[in-house]
Amino acid sequence: MLGGLGEKLVKKAVAAGAAAAAAMVAVIAFGATIFYALCLVIVPLAAAALTALLFALAAVIVVSVFLRRETEAEAADDDEPVGMGERAFTLFRQRPILGAAAALAGGWIFLRNPALATMVAAAFTETSHTRRRRR
């Protein structure tokens, strides 16, 4: 009913949801294990505080690693996209969900007005008149 692409997208979304749910259960079970192990050594209130501190510290480390990677990637992509096609490719690469939503909206509009589709296709295939700088 949905076609090949829609069916694959739904299957991938279901698989990603199942993996995320399994990861959440594993993290909660790991947290409970740490809490009960600490309860054997210290009072439960201190064990709860140390468990929360441990997970907060882990979250800060993960965020800092991902933010460092993001700034390194942004430094590598200093060039602005020249044409409309390159801008669309950059959008899909950097923000895939927003790109997918834009593609679905564009597809809906193109189905409603085929003349608009030819105008946009001409704009995407148009070559830029500016020269790119080489570094």
Side-chain angles (χ1 to χ4, degrees):
M1 183 167 135
L2 291 174
L5 181 63
E7 192 173 314
K8 288 180 185 177
L9 186 62
V10 168
K11 285 182 181 180
K12 287 183 181 183
V14 168
M24 184 181 74
V25 168
V27 168
I28 290 171
F30 183 62
T33 303
I34 290 173
F35 170 73
Y36 287 117
L38 287 174
C39 280
L40 295 174
V41 181
I42 56 178
V43 294
L45 186 60
L50 284 175
T51 304
L53 180 67
L54 177 69
F55 276 85
L57 183 63
V60 167
I61 290 171
V62 168
V63 167
S64 66
V65 166
F66 277 107
L67 286 180
R68 186 172 350 124
R69 285 185 186 167
E70 183 178 308
T71 56
E72 289 173 0
E74 287 176 0
D77 292 336
D78 285 341
D79 293 336
E80 287 283 325
V82 177
M84 231 172 142
E86 288 182 40
R87 287 183 188 163
F89 178 73
T90 304
L91 173 71
F92 276 97
R93 196 177 77 206
Q94 290 177 350
R95 294 188 173 88
I97 294 175
L98 181 63
L104 288 173
W108 176 256
I109 291 170
F110 293 154
L111 285 174
R112 305 286 295 185
N113 189 355
L116 183 63
T118 58
M119 291 182 347
V120 171
F124 272 104
T125 57
E126 182 179 308
T127 58
S128 177
H129 296 292
T130 60
R131 295 183 67 185
R132 291 189 80 163
R133 295 182 291 161
R134 290 190 180 180
R135 292 181 182 201

